[in-house]
Amino acid sequence: MIPVAGFEGQEVGVLGLGRSGRATAAALAAGGARPVVWDDGAPGRDAAEAAGLTLRDLTAPGGMTGLAALIVSPGIPHLYPAPHPAIAAALEAGVPVDNDIGLFFRSFGSDAFARHDTVPRVIAVTGSNGKSTTSALIHHILTEAGRPAQLAGNIGRGVLDLDPPRDGEVIVLELSSYQTELARALTPDVAVFTNLSPDHLDRHGGPGGYFAAKRRLFAEGGPDRAVIGVDEVEGRFLANQLTEGSGDPRVIRVSVEQGLKDAAWSVFARKGHLAEWRKGRQQASIDLRPIKGLPGAHNHQNACCAYAALRALNLGPRDIEAGLASYPGLPHRSQLIAERGGVAFVNDSKATNVDAAEMALRAFPRIRWICGGLMKEGGLGALEPHLGSVAKAYVIGREAEAFARALPGVEAEICTTMDVAVIRAMAEAEPGDTVLLAPAAASFDQYDNFERRGEDFVACVERGLAAGR
């Protein structure tokens, strides 16, 4: 646990009692604060009361009285489409609103964690797509190289639930836009921006607000090094804002669409080969094509981002290459489930938006595509140029018919359920095909989350293979 510094003897409100909220309350208490907690759901309140936490209805009149701060869980709206009533009350009362990420950076930089021969470092990763894989990949490579490391944030553990850092340890944080937008302290040593595509626009008031939330990771704390994906205009703009000129090495530019040989420091992948260039000279190269845990250009971008972040901490290219080669992949993200009779089965349930699905469709030559769910704003039109690899679509979800109609020129079968879709795809797959779950939609019409959807796909594949289909 990371005890929260700066609130000794003071009451601090905690709104939302999921994983991060519970960890926040415990870390505040460990630092000498007096947390008072609230959750809109009765089960969360009951669990908090059973754990001995002090409940207070933070939405009631006077709920903000005496609070030094209000700490908010990431799923709770604080600005758009409208602030949660407790947050609105805090804004009215002048109570500072923060989240666990802000508390982490506030506490991590305190004297108690600076007394090391080799000071611990923090790598923070944000972006629309690939941030989970990039974060996990960085952590995996560090571990394989014998470097102490912990992984937290939007993946794995809550940040305040981390162990106090050891000498020379690297903390790897995956940060969502919800987390970066609200945190009052953001001071990573290395910050990574993978890419940007439309997502969560209702929570940020449009694409400008969404980009601004991501940009705060770089603008608020001023990382020593910034790793920026520059294949979208927002990344190019951000890289430009962070540099003092073409020779400034504080920004490492990353691309999978262009060679960046003229940049002061760059890492890019072309035709499956990663290359690092500095000041016009190539420093290292890695063939990414044989790495089964990193298929496709989108994963090559993740590899480039991870490579660049680790080079910023002076890890050697050969150590990074060894870690890349042994990376097993994350569940639900281009995860190879099985291979049978020349047919591969890949679980990319995390492809919940069109841009992520596009990357998955570009990664394999011939696809039996399981897709569908709750379509997001903007529809599926952006996928049309990338449907040439789709031999057939097997559409699931309550909106399966409408989803299938939005796929012009693609043979589509209305399956509705995962079980039917997998059975049909397995029956029709030929050697060289990939049966790919990449829904391009949210899961909430049939599943609690994308993880449950991916787990159902894996179970259906395993049953089908066991039955000899």
Side-chain angles (χ1 to χ4, degrees), residues 101-102 105 175 179-181 183-188 216-217 220-222:
I101 304 301
F105 279 110
L175 300 182
Q179 294 169 312
T180 58
E181 183 177 46
R184 296 169 72 92
L186 288 166
T187 54
R216 288 191 76 247
L217 180 62
E220 293 296 313

Side-chain angles (χ1 to χ4, degrees), residues 92-125:
E92 183 70 23
V95 174
V97 179
D98 203 348
N99 62 15
D100 61 336
I101 304 301
L103 296 183
F104 167 82
F105 279 110
R106 171 181 179 147
S107 304
F108 190 84
S110 66
D111 290 343
F113 297 109
R115 298 167 186 168
H116 297 278
D117 292 333
T118 303
V119 175
R121 311 290 290 279
V122 178
I123 299 176
V125 181

Side-chain angles (χ1 to χ4, degrees), residues 384-396:
E384 289 186 30
H386 310 287
L387 298 176
S389 60
V390 177
K392 185 175 177 179
Y394 305 82
V395 189
I396 64 173

Side-chain angles (χ1 to χ4, degrees), residues 29 39 52 55 61 65 79 95 184 188 213 216 231 287 344 347 361 405:
D39 193 285
L55 285 171
T65 301
L79 187 56
V95 174
R184 296 169 72 92
R216 288 191 76 247
D231 287 336
D287 187 354
N347 169 22
L361 292 176
R405 287 196 299 270

Side-chain angles (χ1 to χ4, degrees), residues 142-290:
L142 286 166
T143 303
E144 291 292 292
R147 296 278 295 272
Q150 297 185 71
L151 176 65
N154 202 45
I155 184 174
R157 306 162 72 178
V159 291
L160 295 174
D161 195 36
L162 288 168
D163 298 325
R166 293 168 286 174
D167 192 80
E169 188 160 37
V170 179
I171 306 297
V172 185
L173 302 180
E174 181 201 337
L175 300 182
S176 72
S177 57
Y178 296 175
Q179 294 169 312
T180 58
E181 183 177 46
L182 190 58
R184 296 169 72 92
L186 288 166
T187 54
D189 298 283
V190 179
V192 180
F193 177 89
T194 59
N195 51 56
L196 196 81
S197 61
D199 209 356
H200 309 304
L201 300 188
D202 59 331
R203 275 289 299 268
H204 298 295
Y210 179 51
F211 175 55
K214 300 288 189 185
R215 181 182 175 276
R216 288 191 76 247
L217 180 62
F218 303 84
E220 293 296 313
D224 295 336
R225 298 281 185 196
V227 175
I228 309 292
V230 295
D231 287 336
E232 294 87 29
V233 65
E234 292 87 354
R236 293 191 289 274
F237 176 80
L238 181 58
N240 181 274
Q241 285 205 311
L242 296 173
T243 55
E244 295 297 330
S246 59
D248 189 344
R250 292 174 298 172
V251 172
I252 308 175
R253 289 169 169 81
V254 167
S255 176
V256 291
E257 295 182 0
Q258 55 187 312
L260 299 172
K261 299 179 182 179
D262 295 330
W265 195 351
S266 65
V267 180
F268 56 90
R270 303 296 299 277
K271 297 181 179 180
H273 290 82
L274 178 153
E276 177 190 2
W277 282 68
R278 291 200 212 185
K279 298 180 179 179
R281 298 183 62 182
Q282 184 168 329
Q283 304 295 312
S285 65
I286 299 172
D287 187 354
L288 301 173
R289 295 172 300 173

